[in-house]
Amino acid sequence: MSELFDAVDALVASRAPLPPAQERKRLRQAHGLTLDDVAAALRVRRATVSGWESVKKTTEPRGPEREAYARLLEKLAELYPTPSVSEEAAAQTVPTTFTGTPSPAEARSQSTGQASEAAAMTATENTQPPDSAPAAAPATALRPTRTTRPSSTSRRPGAKKAALTGNPTGGADPRFENGPLAVVDVEDGNVLAYCTGGLVLDVPAKSIPALVDWTLREAKLGQPKLSGPGKDADPLLVLTEAALERYGLPVALTEEERLAGRLPESHKVIRQLARAEWKLTKRGFGPWARIYRPAQGSERACVQLCIPSWHALDTRHWGEAGQLAPAELARVLGVYASRLVTPRGSTAVTGLELMTALHPPTRASEPDADGKRHSEHNPGSLGKDPVDCAPCEAPDGHPLLADLPRFHVRGPAEKLFEEAYDWARPMTDAECTLRHLVGIDVNMAFAAGANGLVVGLGAPTHVKAPVFDPKLPGSWLVDLSHVDLSRVRIGKDKWTDLDASLLPSPFTPKGERPEGPAWYATPTVAYAVELGYDVAPIEAYVRYENGRYLDGWYNRLRDAFLATMADLGVDANLSPADFLAAMDGYKSRDPELSIVVSAIKATVKGGLGKLRERPRGEGWRPGQPWRALSRPTWRPDIRAAVISRTRINLHRKIVKHAAFTGQYPVAILSDCVVYAAGGESPLDFLPYRDGKPLPGGFKLGINPGLVKHEGTQSVLWGEEVRERFNAPELNLARYIKDGTVTDVDNGE
């Protein structure tokens, strides 16, 4: 009988009258739904839903789609009944340009004049103390929602806007009350700007020059500076494919344009900008275009464009962000911007720019005799002028090495080579009797390596036969081949015996014991002293002007990472077992926020990589300078110090673990370590007592420097893979996450 009733209900629904097209559209927008949202739910094309709402030429849904669509409209009509004439009249008398559209719950309360203020005050900036975990905001707090169209037909800029969850930047600066960025899209012929926090603006601009002008004059987009002497972040506009078509730009670059990284100077949009006296930076009109006019005093006139369809958002770091609907993309980029910094290019570029934003090169001086202030060096920064690196710190092809023979290969005594671990060894017979290989990964390892690190701020000073000072950053030529890992000091006066054959050397990325003098960064040499061995440097390039330049950078990245992970249900104060459970499938809880986590991690590694950026084509030849050398943030010594400290931090934990448990790693890749274990969980080999970890060893947790579960495979899998590829020392840490083995290099 129930099947008959269902059939009757379906038959009635298939002929049920639907509200007029205008009402359908009102209901959809009142609930904050886009055409894409409805199309995805009903499994139809976006254009189909648009046709159902078209006043001029309305199409009607048929079959099961009509039944589902009717049900959707019925539910929405219950939530958002048609306003009475008196209510509409009252709404039109409100003398405000910016109108907030409530969430479903607020809509019901506002009908009785009791809208909640709390829903409009959500802030995303993490302001917790450095050693505490940020409060976990609901993961949906920043999810954008659509606005309803004002009852008037005004097309004034800003006539359409909503702030369901408040301004993510906190609303402290009225100049940027609409957030740091907007995603510009075209819907039903109207150009809309989707901002953070659920705001949507009408965009009246008919051209790119007009869009830039509107952004600076009326959009109220941007972000306050992160440091007193710094500059406010320029507004960012993200152009969708529909927006590109509207403004006369190609949806995709040609192969020639892609290789050049920009549109040709002859393109009509570039000519439009030139006629309007707007300028482009040297990178031209590419995926991350910067359009500006020379600053007038302290007033900046600059707008950044991001074009996802031109591959501005690298899928390795931003996942599928470029494929998101405008509101969702605004949410992803908005969370990243409000917690970290407005994107200014790739995650690598943004990571480097974040360093400068926190430590601007100059500041205003005290007033002189005439009461005028002048630009002066900002203490603690890298300054505004680049400095030469030491010859040992220079990468191959650097102008400092122009006099070397053409095919000369520099060895350890000529070149500083501080890199992350890539080490593995064959398993012992005892390890082969165990069932599993368990990988653990250090959270934000390189960020943790930067925390508290003293780095050079100025040029190096060459010193012969120096006395080693662990507090002095620099590069040291010293012989560490005498350091014997079979007996090391692990405390002030405590020594322990280890099986050195099962441990990598802490002094080389491949884990090989050094054979003679080599160049090392300060943390590496300091670790040799910590292990109980004397060092006698032959020479050094030291930096007497130094400081903890990266502390603020680390703090900003850490807070952004912890706040976003807390939104995903992974809190910093979880017990080990609860932490492992929370990490299981955390990305699926909110795929958009998981994109933000990935981007934050990429910002760390990319920013550090930019400190030693290599030539990028442009006709460069060995011995000639390249563009990156002209900036003060080209500092390979800082990159080397961070990597050195990160590798040493990991080795210290490995030694503590081996001394206490007798367990040794099977493989290490960068910040991932693999151990043989009897069970599948890290808790099967990490020594916890009453919930407390081994002091100085590995600790499970989400904070930078703590470890998470990377993956588990069987010992049989590891042995089979090595045998299949004839690679007895294949680095299993590279494949431990999912067991898929690709790009194997067995030395042949």
Side-chain angles (χ1 to χ4, degrees):
M1 186 64 69
S2 61
E3 294 180 358
L4 292 176
F5 287 165
D6 291 341
V8 170
D9 290 343
L11 184 62
V12 172
S14 68
R15 297 294 187 270
L18 298 176
Q22 188 172 4
E23 176 65 5
R24 302 173 194 178
K25 186 173 183 178
R26 183 191 73 82
L27 291 172
R28 172 178 62 81
Q29 292 181 335
H31 200 60
L33 299 175
T34 66
L35 291 172
D36 290 318
D37 293 335
V38 177
L42 301 181
R43 300 178 182 177
V44 296
R45 295 187 302 115
R46 183 179 189 271
T48 301
V49 181
S50 180
W52 296 344
E53 297 181 357
S54 174
V55 177
K56 294 182 179 179
K57 191 176 181 181
T58 306
T59 60
E60 294 297 322
R62 297 179 181 179
E65 289 83 7
R66 182 185 181 94
E67 178 182 353
Y69 190 46
R71 182 177 178 84
L72 170 66
L73 295 175
E74 180 184 358
K75 296 297 184 183
L76 293 179
E78 293 175 2
L79 293 174
Y80 312 104
T82 304
S84 65
V85 176
S86 59
E87 288 175 335
E88 288 185 350
Q92 292 184 10
T93 62
V94 179
T96 177
T97 303
F98 299 104
T99 306
T101 300
S103 64
E106 291 172 282
R108 292 188 292 274
S109 64
Q110 284 184 353
S111 65
T112 58
Q114 312 214 344
S116 169
E117 288 184 33
M121 299 176 63
T122 302
T124 66
E125 190 73 42
N126 184 344
T127 57
Q128 296 295 321
D131 295 327
S132 65
T140 58
L142 291 171
R143 189 177 297 279
T145 52
R146 281 295 314 277
T147 63
T148 57
R149 180 168 299 282
S151 55
S152 71
T153 57
S154 170
R155 298 294 296 167
R156 291 180 295 115
K160 174 181 183 179
K161 175 176 178 210
L164 304 196
T165 58
N167 183 0
T169 59
D173 195 325
R175 297 174 302 158
F176 311 127
E177 68 177 42
N178 295 339
L181 55 90
V183 178
V184 181
D185 189 34
V186 179
E187 183 174 320
D188 301 331
N190 302 317
V191 182
L192 307 175
Y194 291 80
C195 305
T196 57
L199 302 98
V200 182
L201 308 177
D202 260 334
V203 181
K206 305 298 184 184
S207 66
I208 289 293
L211 178 64
V212 173
D213 188 68
W214 170 82
T215 302
L216 293 172
R217 291 177 181 273
E218 303 183 47
K220 294 188 177 181
L221 296 174
Q223 194 170 22
K225 57 189 177 182
L226 298 180
S227 175
K231 300 175 181 177
D232 297 326
D234 298 318
L236 172 65
L237 296 181
V238 185
L239 303 184
T240 66
E241 293 184 9
L244 293 174
E245 292 178 339
R246 168 62 65 91
Y247 290 118
L249 291 165
V251 171
L253 298 177
T254 66
E255 183 65 16
E256 182 179 354
E257 292 167 348
R258 187 186 65 80
L259 292 174
R262 65 185 71 191
L263 293 177
E265 296 296 319
S266 59
H267 195 279
K268 65 177 182 180
V269 170
I270 297 180
R271 295 201 304 268
Q272 289 173 0
L273 289 168
R275 286 195 298 270
E277 299 183 345
W278 289 106
K279 299 180 180 294
L280 292 165
T281 57
K282 291 182 180 180
R283 75 171 95 178
F285 204 118
W288 290 92
R290 189 174 288 274
I291 304 172
Y292 73 99
R293 284 182 180 139
Q296 300 294 327
S298 60
E299 293 296 323
R300 290 170 57 82
C302 184
V303 172
Q304 173 101 27
L305 300 185
C306 168
I307 306 178
S309 67
W310 294 5
H311 305 293
L313 301 175
D314 192 327
T315 55
R316 294 172 299 174
H317 310 138
W318 289 101
E320 300 301 318
Q323 306 301 318
L324 293 174
E328 284 69 35
L329 180 56
R331 181 195 182 216
V332 167
L333 295 176
V335 173
Y336 178 92
S338 62
R339 290 179 175 173
L340 201 57
V341 68
T342 302
R344 305 181 187 185
S346 66
T347 50
V349 169
T350 303
L352 196 67
E353 290 289 336
L354 178 60
M355 295 181 195
T356 304
L358 293 166
H359 287 286
T362 60
R363 68 177 184 183
S365 68
E366 294 296 325
D368 59 16
D370 298 326
K372 295 183 179 180
R373 296 178 183 271
H374 307 276
S375 177
E376 66 177 12
H377 173 70
N378 182 28
S381 75
L382 298 181
K384 64 178 182 179
D385 299 316
V387 297
D388 283 335
C389 62
C392 63
E393 298 163 351
D396 294 338
H398 192 280
L400 289 175
L401 311 175
D403 294 336
L404 289 179
R406 182 176 180 184
F407 297 107
H408 178 73
V409 178
R410 293 185 295 163
E414 300 172 279
K415 179 180 180 180
L416 177 69
F417 192 66
E418 294 283 11
E419 299 294 340
Y421 267 129
D422 185 355
W423 170 87
R425 62 169 176 81
M427 283 185 275
T428 65
D429 292 341
E431 288 168 339
C432 288
T433 64
L434 300 174
R435 299 185 61 185
H436 301 285
L437 294 171
V438 183
I440 53 176
D441 181 79
V442 181
N443 295 311
M444 301 272 284
F446 294 99
N451 182 30
L453 178 65
V454 178
V455 300
L457 301 177
T461 299
H462 188 217
V463 184
K464 288 284 189 178
V467 175
F468 177 68
D469 183 352
K471 297 181 180 179
L472 188 60
S475 300
W476 309 78
L477 180 62
V478 58
D479 188 351
L480 299 180
S481 60
H482 63 291
V483 177
D484 185 3
L485 294 181
S486 62
R487 183 164 178 76
V488 297
R489 185 170 59 195
I490 60 171
K492 186 175 181 181
D493 297 310
K494 184 178 180 181
W495 291 74
T496 188
D497 295 327
L498 301 172
D499 188 341
S501 67
L502 302 179
L503 283 172
S505 167
F507 309 127
T508 61
K510 291 293 184 180
E512 303 162 342
R513 186 168 179 170
E515 298 179 350
W519 286 98
Y520 303 102
T522 297
T524 302
V525 185
Y527 187 56
V529 176
E530 179 185 324
L531 292 176
Y533 293 86
D534 295 330
V535 297
I538 301 168
E539 60 178 306
Y541 287 90
V542 296
R543 288 170 168 82
Y544 294 110
E545 181 187 356
N546 54 66
R548 293 169 59 160
Y549 173 72
L550 295 174
D551 274 11
W553 185 75
Y554 162 77
N555 290 335
R556 185 85 176 169
L557 287 158
R558 176 206 58 200
D559 290 350
F561 175 69
L562 291 180
T564 310
M565 289 302 296
D567 286 346
L568 287 166
V570 185
D571 192 84
N573 298 317
L574 295 173
S575 67
D578 289 342
F579 167 71
L580 292 175
M583 286 295 293
D584 187 17
Y586 77 92
K587 293 183 179 180
S588 62
R589 292 175 200 142
D590 191 326
E592 293 168 18
L593 285 184
S594 70
I595 293 175
V596 178
V597 171
S598 173
I600 292 172
K601 292 179 180 179
T603 303
V604 175
K605 293 184 178 180
L608 293 173
K610 275 284 185 179
L611 293 171
R612 189 178 177 262
E613 184 178 358
R614 302 301 306 278
R616 304 178 63 183
E618 301 177 338
W620 174 81
R621 293 183 178 181
Q624 296 179 344
W626 57 92
R627 184 185 300 182
L629 300 185
S630 64
R631 65 173 190 246
T633 50
W634 192 84
R635 293 296 300 271
D637 57 299
I638 296 179
R639 173 188 177 274
V642 173
I643 294 176
S644 164
R645 191 163 186 245
T646 303
R647 193 183 67 245
I648 294 306
N649 285 347
L650 184 60
H651 195 275
R652 184 183 292 111
K653 290 180 171 63
I654 290 170
V655 166
K656 291 285 181 68
H657 186 84
F660 188 80
T661 67
Q663 299 169 334
Y664 294 83
V666 171
I668 310 172
L669 181 68
S670 187
D671 47 11
C672 175
V673 188
V674 175
Y675 283 90
E680 300 182 3
S681 168
L683 290 174
D684 290 315
F685 71 93
L686 292 182
Y688 272 83
R689 286 184 177 176
D690 299 325
K692 296 182 179 180
L694 172 68
F698 295 109
K699 178 182 179 181
L700 289 166
I702 197 58
N703 281 291
L706 306 188
V707 299
K708 65 178 184 297
H709 184 203
E710 180 69 2
T712 296
Q713 304 297 329
S714 69
V715 169
L716 290 177
W717 165 85
E719 289 297 277
E720 188 274 331
V721 165
R722 285 177 164 177
E723 183 177 347
R724 187 198 329 162
F725 292 100
N726 191 26
E729 295 186 3
L730 179 69
N731 195 332
L732 299 175
R734 191 183 305 276
Y735 316 108
I736 195 70
K737 190 167 189 176
D738 61 10
T740 303
V741 181
T742 57
D743 301 325
V744 171
D745 180 6
N746 59 7
E748 297 181 0

